[in-house]
Amino acid sequence: MAYFFEEPSRTFGEYLLVPGYSSSECIPSAVDLSTPLVRYRKGEEACPLTMKIPMVSAIMQSVSGEKLAIALAKEGGVSFIYGSQTIEDKAAMVRRVKAYKKGFVTSDSNLPPTATLKDVLALKVKTGHSTVAITEDGTAHGRLLGIVASRDYRLSRTSEDASVSTFMTPLDKLVTAPANTSLKECNDIIWDNKINSLPLVDDEGNLKYMVFRKDYDSHKEHRNELLDANKSYVVGAGINTRDYAQRVPALVEAGVDVLCIDSSEGFSQWQSDTLKWIRDRYGDSVKVGAGNIVDREGFLFLARAGADFVKIGIGGGSICITRETKGIGRGQATAVIEVAKARDEYFKETGVYIPICSDGGIVHDYHITQALAMGADFVMLGRYFARFDESPTSKTRIGGNIVKEYWGEGSNRARNWQRYDLGGAEKLSFEEGVDSYVPYAGPLAEGVNLTLYKVRSTMCNCGALSIEELQRKARLTVVSSTSIVEGGSHDVILKNGPVISQ
């Protein structure tokens, strides 16, 4: 007969952290949330890739595009750009993220001179950018003819049918710079001329890049931004176990900092084969995580196969129905606790520390703190990031509420069959994810900063000023169903209830 685990499979919602002694030094602003992302010899060397915050974004079409990758890197985390797209498109996304921090931005708002104000307004809604480059052919690298900014038109005075050539700032009135101008020189030109943007053009007059004043200001604002040695934003990317021989070289050439095998179940030969191929060709220079697993055996398998970090979680995501359709998985809290013990055993035996990532099961912000206390080095979030402006999906209104689209990689919409591949036909035989909406939550920076303030505050309640200290000091208790009810508001009439009219 089958093996039966003695302990029940538990979720984060079944635990509470018990407060510990907090000294006067335990204030949220003093908490350090830095955490290792990839394997290293703890105590002997520094981790080659350390995040400023313990958050990464899920490898999903509806979550991790280039805009979210940039926004999350600004806050100190890492985004893993989704894998279910062509190799060429994905490599191009990585390149754009790597180029962005350097200040040289490839314009994504471009129109030909035959366009109208109506086209400008539509493009502004699409991209969110008010500066539009007018090029001869309407492309990002066409011959520059002028610029349209918000100051160039008045909606109350300019007809929407007016040609952009009649109200744009023409090239002869623009301040421009040669394509090989350094970023420092560009910023000096911007400040000296009191302008908001600086087009860089080549010898033939073609637009190459744009440098914006707001990017300089952004650098000063985001003290936690995660940068590589060249001061470009750190970015990750998902890969699969089918076309890795073509996808990995393209992503490495594009400058990706870390890869992750995206799979619903990582305890497999396909993942070990993928890791071996990468190690044989790149050694340890290419960092790659693996998963997902939910127990000790799965972790040790991937650790010995060469994974730089290991992801934990099967069936716990908000849009995942793997447990419902296949009856396989494990409660996220139980999985994290067991894998963390295996991680510590492996470190004690080998001296190599392999970070673990809790992927799924995060419903409330405090679940992040619980996952860290239980041993996770960082968490991967999908629904959480899908709500923000920077995710790739569209906003819409349902019943008076603004929402954003959010769908699983195992849904018919995504059809990411590679993620669920078990060596069979190249198709998605049945769905393991749903198509849904999530409440719109505004800019990523505001949401992340609020969440992390809660995490820091809870850590202070536990007397911890770092994630490592939290894991040493944290005390957790299982709660009863009655205790869960007690933890929310009860036996009161809420003021924000329905209005009673007379």
Side-chain angles (χ1 to χ4, degrees), residues 73-120:
K74 285 180 179 179
E75 302 308 316
V78 173
S79 184
F80 285 86
I81 291 178
Y82 69 91
S84 48
Q85 59 177 317
T86 67
I87 295 172
E88 294 75 19
D89 287 347
K90 185 163 187 172
M93 271 194 181
V94 170
R95 286 192 188 93
R96 288 193 290 270
V97 175
K98 298 305 290 185
Y100 185 93
K101 183 61 197 78
K102 293 176 181 176
F104 303 114
V105 180
T106 299
S107 175
D108 66 353
S109 297
N110 314 286
L111 289 172
T114 54
T116 64
L117 176 58
K118 184 177 181 180
D119 297 320
V120 171

Side-chain angles (χ1 to χ4, degrees), residues 12-32:
F12 294 130
E14 295 178 77
Y15 288 90
L16 283 176
L17 282 157
V18 177
Y21 170 72
S22 301
S23 71
S24 59
E25 297 176 349
C26 286
I27 57 175
S29 61
V31 174
D32 178 9

